[in-house]
Amino acid sequence: MRILELKVLKGPNYWSVRRPKLIQMKLDLEELEQKPTNEIPGFRQRLEKMLPSLYEHRCSEGQPGGFFSRVDEGTWMGHVIEHIALEIQTLAGMDCGFGRTRGTGEKEGVYYVIFSYMEEDAGVYAAKASVRIAQALVDGTDYDLEKDIQEMREIREDTRLGPSTGCIVDEAAKRGIPFIRLNKQSLVQLGYGVNQKRIRATIASTTGNIAVDIACDKEETKALLEAAEIPVPRGTVIRTEVGLDEAIEKFGYPLVIKPIDGNHGKGNTTNITNREQAIKAFEAAKAYSRSVIVERFITGYDFRCLVINYKFICAALRTPASVVGDGVHNIQWLIEETNKDPRRGYGHEKVLTQITIDQFTQKMLDDLGYTLETIPQKDERVLLKPTANLSTGGTSTDVTDEVHPANVFMFERIAKIIGLDICGIDVMAMDLRTPVSENGGAILEVNAAPGFRMHIEPAEGLARNVAEPVVDMLFPKGSAGRIPIIAVTGTNGKTTTTRLTAHIAKSAGKKVGYTTSDGVYIQNQLMMKGDCTGPISSAFVLKDPTVDFAVLECARGGILKSGLAFQNCEVAIVTNVAADHMGLGGINTLEQMAKVKAVVPETVFPHGYAILNADDDLVYKMKEDLKCNVALFSMDENNPRIKAHCGGGGLATVFENGYVSIMKGNWKIRVMPVKDIPLTYEGKAIHNIANCLPAILATYLFRDITIEDIRSALVSFVPSSTQTPGRLNFFHFKHFTMLADFAHNPHGLKLLCDFISKLDYPSRIGVISGTGDRRDEDIRELGEISARYFDEIIIRCDKNLRGRSADEIIELLQQGINSVNPNIPTVVIPNEDQALDYIYDNPKQGALYTIMCDVVARALDKIRELKEREEREGISASHPA
């Protein structure tokens, strides 16, 4: 077996709109295509022995054991690998359950194996491991499954959001607030555009920088609290051993020594009772900070109290990792036994973390005169870590309901004094039932970015949803942090529709970000150049903090490669579905292509609208699977689909009697005559009339965009090489005219030729090319269409031949031309620049040269260069030396 290709789908995609996170593995079974599982001796037994938990997989049988029944009956190895990939992720603490295995349609034995993942890197690892495992099971060789499981656990812990960040993101997602992870650590954007907020762990974009600085300086924090009559331990800041001796002299034992700007207990040593311990503690703290705090050690219990948005939320009693002796077994055995608790897991995968033996453990035991072989007395508690952090095996007990009102007041006051809107307060006291100021307790630290795990997953007591007040603070009730998204897809007309839609929204005062096949624009400023119709470009717009309205062109390639960048949108437009890119990415039929395009309208919110082309059977059929409102557009107001839809009170836009009009039920709102819309070239560019219809309807759906805004925008949207690059761009030379257009498939070229056939030029010459990754018949058809409409043809080649030779493409184009008109004058000039130079040097008087552009920007630059050359030569001729 061979993995031919791996894709990580991160958003709504061809296989599932509701399960965006999928691995797509293209797998060649090779000789195993001829060996279903029931023909491989012992395969079922070896599979069940290695992965007995696969019994829970119901498969198509719909009951436990269903998958094993399929194995007994005989299923193909791609299907087995799908289930293995899901199960090994689940065993590694990532519960995954969605999968599909389908033939690619390319050749026998090649399949797409699809399965869900939680963490991208772990999903990719699972794909490769599942093939190795299946091969070992086929061959009957030994395989170390536990090694893979542990590797995926470690990948999960390295790449996942921590429990604190994760719970905030989960709470936001439950409320429909979108999120974007901005780096591989814990920086996350909640919401889109101007309405976004950011969090890094539990520091929010609302958290003051000064407050964080204060909290990170323990001595400054202590000084502020002490000045406000908050009980704090007596202590001082030192840098030298001399200072340490002076502190010992002043405060006596027991002591606490910790770095001045440490966190998470790093470098902290508690309950120091002699100078030798003090020197070691001093050196440990110096590893994290030049300045070190020495404080009187306060006896009592360790509590963490959480204040969010200056309101007390909860409190937890924290206990360091420890074991309790039984008078029989040694400490090593007790640790191993404690780690068998099913609540303990690797990293953050479970409520509790397994206890590991490290230098801090060894130091704790050394201080007691113990080793791992020591047998503690019965019921003796042996502490194994100096701090009570859950990440080192500590436990927490919720005590929120026991906190005295005076302490609640004090905690909220502390948060205000420091200025932290998300504030963790460490308290050492005998309890919190009585005021800390009266029971001898003290405030030890105030923490920015406090951990939430101890509150959301306490070992004992009530779990607290501490993410809820954070999200409430960032997004007051009723706010989802979103901006309107109009998504545009289809085969042809996407870019013009996107640009016009964005122009209308901008004319209505919106700060628009939009993506097209020629670039990403933020408020009409070009930010990224090139084909920007995929999820990375969409995310670029959604991350921009100046954008309050997004119009996103979503092409086939991005959907198939990674999925969409957004989970939901307000409006989706589908222009049409035609033959283009066929045979690529497993898409071999128009019906499959329609399914790709249908991903976009399927993401529309239930209250939103999918705007579908009623003149296109495949597009119109998409309405059957949609769970949102549907609006239609048509070039024929008498289209029966339009009549039925509007008869039922539906919305539509139509071309009727020379007008573009909005239909609201049986009422008609005439927007304006098409002859007054520059984009339509006085109504000659029929395809641009069609492009206007969904753009008008999409913007009309927003209450704050008026008909007057739409009319004004239609008039001011003048086609040009800057406003609509590569879309009907005319360049008028002295003796001829060039028309540059991105028409790159038969459907698009036919629409372009319909337009130029209405123009008054004595001769029409086509400069055509074929794209190498298209089917033979598609390239031939470009030649056929050209032979029907042009008087002469110049064949050129794209710079990127995409897998074919120039000769092969030229031959296919010529076959198409000759099948229609073998006598048409044809010139072959493979290089595009040379072809344009040829036109300039050998112009035909009054001719229209129609140029099919592949890389629009490069072609336009060359044409502008020729235009400048003509102007220079004209100046030279009028001013001879």
Side-chain angles (χ1 to χ4, degrees):
M1 292 182 289
R2 284 189 305 131
I3 298 175
L4 303 178
E5 180 183 71
L6 276 177
K7 289 182 179 177
V8 180
L9 306 178
K10 303 176 183 180
N13 56 73
Y14 180 78
W15 304 102
S16 177
V17 172
R18 304 303 167 202
R19 301 175 184 86
K21 297 171 71 171
L22 298 175
I23 299 293
Q24 176 180 303
M25 174 167 50
K26 189 176 181 182
L27 181 68
D28 187 348
L29 296 186
E30 299 179 322
E31 70 278 0
L32 284 175
E33 171 65 8
Q34 308 306 322
K35 288 187 177 181
T37 51
N38 61 340
E39 294 183 16
I40 302 173
F43 181 83
R44 155 67 193 270
Q45 291 73 22
R46 292 192 292 273
L47 176 63
E48 188 169 8
K49 181 179 179 181
M50 181 182 287
L51 289 162
S53 49
L54 281 172
Y55 179 79
E56 298 301 323
H57 289 217
R58 296 169 177 262
C59 205
S60 55
E61 303 291 316
Q63 60 186 14
F67 170 64
F68 281 136
S69 295
R70 292 290 307 279
V71 173
D72 289 337
E73 294 165 4
T75 189
W76 270 258
M77 202 52 61
H79 182 210
V80 173
I81 286 168
E82 167 204 325
H83 282 266
I84 292 174
L86 291 169
E87 187 58 24
I88 60 177
Q89 288 182 92
T90 300
L91 293 173
M94 295 165 286
D95 195 7
C96 301
F98 176 82
R100 294 284 185 272
T101 300
R102 299 289 185 267
T104 64
E106 295 177 7
K107 70 171 188 175
E108 186 180 67
V110 179
Y111 294 85
Y112 285 123
V113 178
I114 313 298
F115 60 88
S116 56
Y117 68 89
M118 289 181 66
E119 301 300 327
E120 177 182 329
D121 291 349
V124 170
Y125 186 96
K128 297 174 181 178
S130 61
V131 175
R132 294 194 301 265
I133 291 166
Q135 190 65 60
L137 290 168
V138 170
D139 298 339
T141 57
D142 292 337
Y143 191 88
D144 187 354
L145 178 63
E146 187 52 41
K147 181 182 176 183
D148 281 340
I149 303 300
Q150 183 58 28
E151 182 68 25
M152 283 189 288
R153 286 192 184 115
E154 293 175 12
I155 292 171
R156 179 200 70 209
E157 290 305 302
D158 287 342
T159 59
R160 74 189 297 192
L161 290 172
S164 300
T165 313
C167 75
I168 297 173
V169 169
D170 290 344
E171 179 66 24
K174 280 195 295 186
R175 301 188 191 190
I177 298 168
F179 68 91
I180 301 173
R181 191 169 180 177
L182 298 177
N183 64 11
K184 291 186 177 181
Q185 287 75 48
S186 56
L187 182 62
V188 178
Q189 174 183 315
L190 303 177
Y192 290 150
V194 296
N195 295 321
Q196 67 180 267
K197 304 290 184 185
R198 291 181 181 177
I199 58 170
R200 186 195 293 273
T202 59
I203 293 178
S205 49
T206 55
T207 305
N209 188 49
I210 293 175
V212 174
D213 281 348
I214 292 171
C216 289
D217 187 328
K218 300 185 190 309
E219 188 61 17
E220 188 171 1
T221 300
K222 183 179 173 184
L224 285 173
L225 296 183
E226 192 169 22
E229 294 298 327
I230 303 293
V232 294
R234 294 171 60 231
T236 188
V237 177
I238 65 168
R239 287 193 176 189
T240 65
E241 284 192 25
V242 173
L244 176 62
D245 289 335
E246 290 173 353
I248 293 171
E249 179 68 26
K250 182 175 182 179
F251 303 116
Y253 297 112
L255 294 172
V256 174
I257 296 179
K258 55 189 175 182
I260 197 167
D261 53 2
N263 55 50
H264 300 295
K266 293 175 182 175
N268 290 12
T269 307
T270 60
N271 199 18
I272 298 164
T273 57
N274 59 57
R275 190 174 185 280
E276 183 182 354
Q277 292 177 352
I279 293 294
K280 287 182 180 179
F282 176 67
E283 294 300 327
K286 289 279 282 185
Y288 294 94
S289 175
R290 290 180 61 197
S291 298
V292 171
I293 294 175
V294 181
E295 290 177 343
R296 180 75 180 177
F297 178 61
I298 306 296
T299 58
Y301 296 101
D302 184 356
F303 296 95
R304 164 62 63 81
C305 304
L306 186 64
V307 177
I308 297 174
N309 202 17
Y310 307 109
K311 297 291 183 184
F312 171 73
I313 301 300
C314 57
L317 167 65
R318 303 189 296 176
T319 305
S322 61
V323 292
V324 178
D326 61 4
V328 177
H329 298 96
N330 62 27
I331 292 172
Q332 178 72 56
W333 186 93
L334 293 169
I335 292 172
E336 292 171 1
E337 195 66 18
T338 300
N339 283 338
K340 291 178 182 178
D341 184 337
R343 297 177 301 168
R344 290 191 182 271
Y346 181 83
H348 297 305
E349 72 177 346
K350 295 183 178 178
V351 173
L352 300 174
T353 299
Q354 291 187 342
I355 300 170
T356 58
I357 299 167
D358 56 18
Q359 62 187 33
F360 297 108
T361 308
Q362 295 291 357
K363 182 180 180 302
M364 297 287 289
L365 296 178
D366 289 346
D367 291 344
L368 295 171
Y370 287 179
T371 70
L372 291 171
E373 301 305 315
T374 300
I375 299 174
Q377 297 293 317
K378 183 172 172 48
D379 297 328
E380 177 188 356
R381 180 175 294 276
V382 180
L383 298 181
L384 301 170
K385 305 289 179 185
T387 60
N389 292 326
L390 269 66
S391 58
T392 60
T395 62
S396 67
T397 302
D398 180 74
V399 294
T400 303
D401 297 330
E402 300 176 6
V403 180
H404 192 279
N407 290 332
V408 170
F409 173 74
M410 180 178 70
F411 300 148
E412 293 176 351
R413 185 163 171 260
I414 288 170
K416 282 282 190 182
I417 290 167
I418 305 303
L420 277 177
D421 56 1
I422 302 175
C423 180
I425 301 167
D426 290 343
V427 184
M428 185 66 72
M430 295 309 296
D431 61 62
L432 296 181
R433 297 187 189 92
T434 56
V436 172
S437 57
E438 297 176 7
N439 65 17
I443 305 303
L444 302 183
E445 290 184 13
V446 177
N447 298 276
F452 283 1
R453 186 182 174 202
M454 69 188 76
H455 307 296
I456 59 176
E457 293 182 330
E460 296 179 35
L462 190 64
R464 306 286 174 169
N465 182 6
V466 297
E468 182 177 30
V470 174
V471 178
D472 285 342
M473 176 180 72
L474 298 176
F475 300 94
K477 296 293 185 183
S479 169
R482 292 183 173 274
I483 61 172
I485 297 174
I486 298 177
V488 183
T489 194
T491 300
N492 292 307
K494 299 187 297 297
T495 296
T496 301
T497 302
T498 297
R499 281 183 167 277
L500 178 56
T501 303
H503 182 74
I504 295 171
K506 181 176 177 292
S507 299
K510 305 294 185 184
K511 295 182 175 69
V512 183
Y514 62 98
T515 64
T516 70
S517 57
D518 52 77
V520 176
Y521 296 80
I522 303 295
Q523 299 184 52
N524 270 16
Q525 297 293 312
L526 179 63
M527 297 294 170
M528 295 171 66
K529 209 169 186 179
D531 187 348
C532 296
T533 56
I536 293 175
S537 304
S538 294
F540 184 95
V541 169
L542 299 175
K543 287 190 283 190
D544 192 287
T546 68
V547 170
D548 64 12
F549 199 99
V551 185
L552 307 175
E553 181 178 344
C554 303
R556 165 211 64 89
I559 296 171
L560 290 175
K561 184 177 180 180
S562 299
L564 297 174
F566 51 88
Q567 192 68 40
N568 296 102
C569 62
E570 278 67 27
V571 178
I573 294 170
V574 188
T575 59
N576 45 63
V577 175
D580 191 20
H581 300 95
M582 304 301 286
L584 300 177
I587 305 304
N588 302 302
T589 67
L590 274 178
E591 288 72 22
Q592 289 176 319
M593 184 63 74
K595 184 180 175 184
V596 176
K597 307 294 185 183
V599 171
V600 178
E602 287 175 18
T603 66
V604 176
F605 282 113
H607 64 267
Y609 276 84
I611 300 176
L612 307 178
N613 185 348
D615 299 334
D616 187 307
D617 292 344
L618 289 171
V619 175
Y620 181 75
K621 190 178 180 183
M622 293 177 188
K623 68 193 290 288
E624 298 172 4
D625 297 320
L626 299 180
K627 295 177 173 59
C628 62
N629 299 301
V630 172
L632 302 176
F633 67 95
S634 172
M635 292 293 288
D636 177 12
E637 72 167 327
N638 294 313
N639 182 325
R641 293 166 177 169
I642 293 290
K643 287 195 164 188
H645 179 70
C646 293
L651 268 173
T653 44
V654 296
F655 174 48
E656 53 87 22
N657 296 311
Y659 286 84
V660 285
S661 300
I662 297 170
M663 304 289 292
K664 295 180 68 176
N666 292 320
W667 293 98
K668 184 182 296 181
I669 303 171
R670 282 184 166 168
V671 180
M672 65 190 310
V674 295
K675 66 181 178 60
D676 295 336
I677 302 174
L679 185 63
T680 72
Y681 290 90
E682 299 182 332
K684 295 184 181 75
I686 298 297
H687 62 291
N688 273 349
I689 300 175
N691 291 335
C692 288
L693 297 176
I696 291 168
L697 188 51
T699 48
Y700 177 75
L701 291 169
F702 293 88
R703 293 180 180 178
D704 51 355
I705 299 178
T706 66
I707 286 288
E708 287 70 28
D709 293 326
I710 295 171
R711 288 174 177 144
S712 173
L714 289 171
V715 171
S716 61
F717 191 75
V718 179
S720 67
S721 60
T722 52
Q723 181 85 277
T724 55
R727 275 73 185 173
L728 299 187
N729 299 155
F730 283 90
F731 295 85
H732 298 287
F733 289 77
K734 186 175 180 180
H735 300 295
F736 64 94
T737 299
M738 285 187 181
L739 169 58
D741 196 273
F742 185 56
H744 59 285
N745 57 54
H747 182 259
L749 181 59
K750 176 71 165 56
L751 292 172
L752 175 62
C753 289
D754 284 342
F755 167 64
I756 63 174
S757 68
K758 299 170 185 172
L759 304 180
D760 188 18
Y761 286 91
S763 63
R764 302 176 181 87
I765 301 169
V767 183
I768 69 169
S769 63
T771 307
D773 60 1
R774 303 308 198 266
R775 298 176 303 179
D776 289 359
E777 56 264 41
D778 296 328
I779 299 175
R780 285 194 199 96
E781 190 176 355
L782 291 174
E784 293 167 7
I785 294 167
S786 300
R788 291 190 186 99
Y789 283 90
F790 294 121
D791 303 313
E792 298 179 25
I793 295 173
I794 298 171
I795 297 176
R796 66 159 190 87
C797 287
D798 296 338
K799 186 174 182 179
N800 182 356
L801 298 176
R802 304 191 191 188
R804 291 186 190 258
S805 68
D807 289 343
E808 186 179 0
I809 294 171
I810 291 166
E811 173 61 25
L812 289 169
L813 288 170
Q814 289 178 322
Q815 287 175 14
I817 293 167
N818 293 335
S819 69
V820 173
N821 183 2
N823 299 317
I824 189 168
T826 303
V827 176
V828 177
I829 307 175
N831 182 277
E832 182 177 53
D833 284 357
Q834 291 175 3
L836 295 176
D837 284 332
Y838 173 83
I839 294 169
Y840 183 85
D841 294 332
N842 304 276
K844 191 162 187 177
Q845 185 68 34
L848 174 66
Y849 290 88
T850 301
I851 301 153
M852 292 175 61
C853 303
D854 172 42
V855 181
V856 170
R858 191 177 68 234
L860 295 181
D861 286 345
K862 178 63 180 179
I863 296 171
R864 292 190 188 103
E865 177 193 312
L866 294 174
K867 189 72 177 150
E868 291 169 5
R869 176 178 159 189
E870 182 186 62
E871 291 170 359
R872 288 195 305 271
E873 291 172 351
I875 293 171
S876 298
S878 61
H879 297 87

PDB file of all heavy atoms in Angstrom, residues 208-222:
ATOM      1  N   GLY A 208      -5.330  45.003  31.089  1.00  0.00           N
ATOM      2  CA  GLY A 208      -4.374  46.106  31.022  1.00  0.00           C
ATOM      3  C   GLY A 208      -2.931  45.631  31.105  1.00  0.00           C
ATOM      4  O   GLY A 208      -2.587  44.764  31.923  1.00  0.00           O
ATOM      5  N   ASN A 209      -2.084  46.227  30.286  1.00  0.00           N
ATOM      6  CA  ASN A 209      -0.665  45.880  30.271  1.00  0.00           C
ATOM      7  C   ASN A 209       0.005  46.234  31.592  1.00  0.00           C
ATOM      8  O   ASN A 209       0.844  45.490  32.114  1.00  0.00           O
ATOM      9  CB  ASN A 209       0.022  46.603  29.104  1.00  0.00           C
ATOM     10  CG  ASN A 209       1.451  46.150  28.910  1.00  0.00           C
ATOM     11  OD1 ASN A 209       1.711  44.957  28.870  1.00  0.00           O
ATOM     12  ND2 ASN A 209       2.373  47.082  28.799  1.00  0.00           N
ATOM     13  N   ILE A 210      -0.362  47.376  32.150  1.00  0.00           N
ATOM     14  CA  ILE A 210       0.230  47.800  33.432  1.00  0.00           C
ATOM     15  C   ILE A 210      -0.113  46.786  34.520  1.00  0.00           C
ATOM     16  O   ILE A 210       0.737  46.426  35.346  1.00  0.00           O
ATOM     17  CB  ILE A 210      -0.269  49.209  33.811  1.00  0.00           C
ATOM     18  CG1 ILE A 210       0.277  50.241  32.819  1.00  0.00           C
ATOM     19  CG2 ILE A 210       0.138  49.569  35.238  1.00  0.00           C
ATOM     20  CD1 ILE A 210      -0.258  51.645  33.031  1.00  0.00           C
ATOM     21  N   ALA A 211      -1.365  46.324  34.509  1.00  0.00           N
ATOM     22  CA  ALA A 211      -1.798  45.359  35.523  1.00  0.00           C
ATOM     23  C   ALA A 211      -0.996  44.071  35.427  1.00  0.00           C
ATOM     24  O   ALA A 211      -0.599  43.489  36.444  1.00  0.00           O
ATOM     25  CB  ALA A 211      -3.288  45.068  35.370  1.00  0.00           C
ATOM     26  N   VAL A 212      -0.743  43.610  34.196  1.00  0.00           N
ATOM     27  CA  VAL A 212       0.042  42.387  34.013  1.00  0.00           C
ATOM     28  C   VAL A 212       1.464  42.607  34.516  1.00  0.00           C
ATOM     29  O   VAL A 212       2.039  41.747  35.192  1.00  0.00           O
ATOM     30  CB  VAL A 212       0.037  41.957  32.530  1.00  0.00           C
ATOM     31  CG1 VAL A 212       0.964  40.765  32.311  1.00  0.00           C
ATOM     32  CG2 VAL A 212      -1.372  41.600  32.080  1.00  0.00           C
ATOM     33  N   ASP A 213       2.032  43.755  34.189  1.00  0.00           N
ATOM     34  CA  ASP A 213       3.392  44.066  34.664  1.00  0.00           C
ATOM     35  C   ASP A 213       3.464  44.057  36.184  1.00  0.00           C
ATOM     36  O   ASP A 213       4.408  43.526  36.777  1.00  0.00           O
ATOM     37  CB  ASP A 213       3.840  45.430  34.131  1.00  0.00           C
ATOM     38  CG  ASP A 213       4.304  45.373  32.688  1.00  0.00           C
ATOM     39  OD1 ASP A 213       4.492  44.246  32.185  1.00  0.00           O
ATOM     40  OD2 ASP A 213       4.463  46.436  32.074  1.00  0.00           O
ATOM     41  N   ILE A 214       2.463  44.641  36.823  1.00  0.00           N
ATOM     42  CA  ILE A 214       2.446  44.679  38.290  1.00  0.00           C
ATOM     43  C   ILE A 214       2.362  43.266  38.849  1.00  0.00           C
ATOM     44  O   ILE A 214       3.109  42.887  39.764  1.00  0.00           O
ATOM     45  CB  ILE A 214       1.265  45.535  38.793  1.00  0.00           C
ATOM     46  CG1 ILE A 214       1.487  47.010  38.445  1.00  0.00           C
ATOM     47  CG2 ILE A 214       1.075  45.361  40.307  1.00  0.00           C
ATOM     48  CD1 ILE A 214       0.275  47.889  38.703  1.00  0.00           C
ATOM     49  N   ALA A 215       1.434  42.460  38.281  1.00  0.00           N
ATOM     50  CA  ALA A 215       1.244  41.103  38.793  1.00  0.00           C
ATOM     51  C   ALA A 215       2.504  40.264  38.614  1.00  0.00           C
ATOM     52  O   ALA A 215       2.780  39.363  39.425  1.00  0.00           O
ATOM     53  CB  ALA A 215       0.064  40.436  38.087  1.00  0.00           C
ATOM     54  N   CYS A 216       3.288  40.552  37.558  1.00  0.00           N
ATOM     55  CA  CYS A 216       4.511  39.791  37.321  1.00  0.00           C
ATOM     56  C   CYS A 216       5.658  40.229  38.224  1.00  0.00           C
ATOM     57  O   CYS A 216       6.684  39.551  38.303  1.00  0.00           O
ATOM     58  CB  CYS A 216       4.926  39.925  35.851  1.00  0.00           C
ATOM     59  SG  CYS A 216       3.827  39.045  34.720  1.00  0.00           S
ATOM     60  N   ASP A 217       5.508  41.354  38.874  1.00  0.00           N
ATOM     61  CA  ASP A 217       6.509  41.845  39.834  1.00  0.00           C
ATOM     62  C   ASP A 217       5.959  41.619  41.235  1.00  0.00           C
ATOM     63  O   ASP A 217       5.179  42.419  41.752  1.00  0.00           O
ATOM     64  CB  ASP A 217       6.796  43.327  39.581  1.00  0.00           C
ATOM     65  CG  ASP A 217       7.950  43.845  40.426  1.00  0.00           C
ATOM     66  OD1 ASP A 217       8.137  43.346  41.563  1.00  0.00           O
ATOM     67  OD2 ASP A 217       8.655  44.765  39.972  1.00  0.00           O
ATOM     68  N   LYS A 218       6.369  40.519  41.848  1.00  0.00           N
ATOM     69  CA  LYS A 218       5.764  40.113  43.110  1.00  0.00           C
ATOM     70  C   LYS A 218       5.984  41.145  44.210  1.00  0.00           C
ATOM     71  O   LYS A 218       5.129  41.350  45.070  1.00  0.00           O
ATOM     72  CB  LYS A 218       6.317  38.746  43.531  1.00  0.00           C
ATOM     73  CG  LYS A 218       6.030  37.638  42.507  1.00  0.00           C
ATOM     74  CD  LYS A 218       6.473  36.297  43.010  1.00  0.00           C
ATOM     75  CE  LYS A 218       6.409  35.238  41.916  1.00  0.00           C
ATOM     76  NZ  LYS A 218       5.133  35.163  41.203  1.00  0.00           N
ATOM     77  N   GLU A 219       7.148  41.797  44.205  1.00  0.00           N
ATOM     78  CA  GLU A 219       7.435  42.768  45.250  1.00  0.00           C
ATOM     79  C   GLU A 219       6.569  44.012  45.087  1.00  0.00           C
ATOM     80  O   GLU A 219       6.062  44.558  46.066  1.00  0.00           O
ATOM     81  CB  GLU A 219       8.924  43.152  45.220  1.00  0.00           C
ATOM     82  CG  GLU A 219       9.362  44.015  46.391  1.00  0.00           C
ATOM     83  CD  GLU A 219       9.183  43.334  47.751  1.00  0.00           C
ATOM     84  OE1 GLU A 219       9.021  42.095  47.803  1.00  0.00           O
ATOM     85  OE2 GLU A 219       9.196  44.054  48.764  1.00  0.00           O
ATOM     86  N   GLU A 220       6.384  44.435  43.833  1.00  0.00           N
ATOM     87  CA  GLU A 220       5.524  45.601  43.609  1.00  0.00           C
ATOM     88  C   GLU A 220       4.079  45.279  43.973  1.00  0.00           C
ATOM     89  O   GLU A 220       3.368  46.103  44.550  1.00  0.00           O
ATOM     90  CB  GLU A 220       5.617  46.043  42.143  1.00  0.00           C
ATOM     91  CG  GLU A 220       4.920  47.363  41.872  1.00  0.00           C
ATOM     92  CD  GLU A 220       5.190  47.893  40.483  1.00  0.00           C
ATOM     93  OE1 GLU A 220       5.901  47.232  39.702  1.00  0.00           O
ATOM     94  OE2 GLU A 220       4.689  48.990  40.175  1.00  0.00           O
ATOM     95  N   THR A 221       3.655  44.068  43.611  1.00  0.00           N
ATOM     96  CA  THR A 221       2.304  43.634  43.986  1.00  0.00           C
ATOM     97  C   THR A 221       2.133  43.667  45.502  1.00  0.00           C
ATOM     98  O   THR A 221       1.149  44.194  46.032  1.00  0.00           O
ATOM     99  CB  THR A 221       2.037  42.200  43.467  1.00  0.00           C
ATOM    100  OG1 THR A 221       2.148  42.189  42.054  1.00  0.00           O
ATOM    101  CG2 THR A 221       0.665  41.712  43.880  1.00  0.00           C
ATOM    102  N   LYS A 222       3.095  43.128  46.186  1.00  0.00           N
ATOM    103  CA  LYS A 222       3.038  43.059  47.643  1.00  0.00           C
ATOM    104  C   LYS A 222       2.993  44.459  48.259  1.00  0.00           C
ATOM    105  O   LYS A 222       2.223  44.713  49.193  1.00  0.00           O
ATOM    106  CB  LYS A 222       4.257  42.285  48.157  1.00  0.00           C
ATOM    107  CG  LYS A 222       4.280  42.079  49.658  1.00  0.00           C
ATOM    108  CD  LYS A 222       5.519  41.284  50.024  1.00  0.00           C
ATOM    109  CE  LYS A 222       5.662  41.204  51.537  1.00  0.00           C
ATOM    110  NZ  LYS A 222       6.913  40.515  51.906  1.00  0.00           N
TER     111      LYS A 222
END
